[in-house]
């Protein structure tokens, strides 16, 4: 599992991810110097460390290296979230608390992601409550009922229900 990048590592990787092309230490240095005073050798050391940690690959280009990201910022963020979630002794409660912290924009991004990852059949929604439990037991798989509304609205409602439940939830002691 990845460990969170340090402040300077993140600043360097942000540029590598944003530019999405092979970059040199000099290019990163010049961009960083717009925000702070920093030495070439410091940037070179950070990029070498990122290479050794597997975040970037490098190719020789004359007397310098060109560095390229091994994965995307999205993959990095997802790995960090997965690591944090997997350390919880109550993953469901952790998700509910996380959903409660989300902004409206983040909830919309979650809805979009859920539509891509777990698409529901156009004419079906998962039932809830006792009916779902009985149907699942009967066929040993989740049951579905015809939907009276578009799938997008059903997904939106499910996300909102989780957020509303999280809004009223208090953090558990010791977490």
């Amino acid at each position: 599992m990845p460990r969170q990048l340090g402040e300077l590592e993140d600043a360097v990787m942000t540029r590598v991810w944003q530019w999405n092309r092979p970059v040199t230490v000099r290019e990163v240095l010049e961009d960083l110097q717009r925000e702070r005073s920093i030495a070439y050798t410091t940037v070179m050391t950070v990029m070498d460390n990122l290479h050794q940690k597997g975040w970037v690959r490098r190719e020789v280009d004359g007397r310098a290296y060109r560095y390229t990201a091994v994965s995307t910022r999205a993959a990095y963020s997802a790995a960090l979230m997965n690591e944090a979630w997997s350390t919880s002794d109550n993953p469901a409660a952790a998700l509910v608390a996380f959903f409660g912290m989300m902004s409206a924009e983040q909830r919309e991004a979650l809805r979009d992601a859920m539509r891509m990852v777990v698409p529901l059949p156009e004419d079906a929604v998962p039932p809830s409550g006792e009916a779902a439990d009985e149907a699942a037991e009967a066929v040993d798989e989740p049951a579905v009922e015809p939907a009276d509304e578009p799938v997008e609205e059903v997904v939106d409602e499910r996300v909102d229900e989780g957020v509303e439940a999280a809004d009223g939830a208090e953090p558990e002691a010791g977490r």
Side-chain angles (χ1 to χ4, degrees), residues 19-49:
W19 296 339
N20 196 27
R21 61 172 173 76
V23 300
T24 64
V25 171
R26 176 87 40 215
E27 290 172 309
V28 174
L29 170 72
E30 289 172 359
D31 200 59
L32 284 171
Q33 285 179 331
R34 295 179 193 179
E35 300 171 1
R36 65 177 92 190
S37 176
I38 190 166
Y40 179 92
T41 54
T42 302
V43 177
M44 183 177 62
T45 299
V46 169
M47 294 185 82
D48 183 61
N49 289 343

Side-chain angles (χ1 to χ4, degrees), residues 99 110-111 114 120 125-129 145 149 151-164:
F99 294 156
L110 174 63
R111 286 183 189 101
M114 289 300 296
L120 295 173
V125 296
S128 58
E145 298 174 356
E149 52 194 321
V151 173
E152 290 79 11
E153 291 177 22
V154 173
V155 172
D156 290 349
E157 286 176 19
R158 300 284 187 221
V159 171
D160 288 338
E161 288 170 8
V163 169
E164 289 169 9

Side-chain angles (χ1 to χ4, degrees), residues 60-77:
V60 175
D61 183 14
R63 294 178 49 196
Y65 287 113
R66 288 207 174 265
Y67 294 85
T68 308
V70 170
S71 67
T72 64
R73 181 178 278 286
Y76 164 70
S77 297

Side-chain angles (χ1 to χ4, degrees), residues 5-25:
L5 296 171
E7 187 260 330
L8 188 52
E9 290 174 326
D10 186 68
V12 169
M13 285 304 301
T14 294
R15 282 145 180 89
V16 175
W17 282 320
Q18 285 176 342
W19 296 339
N20 196 27
R21 61 172 173 76
V23 300
T24 64
V25 171

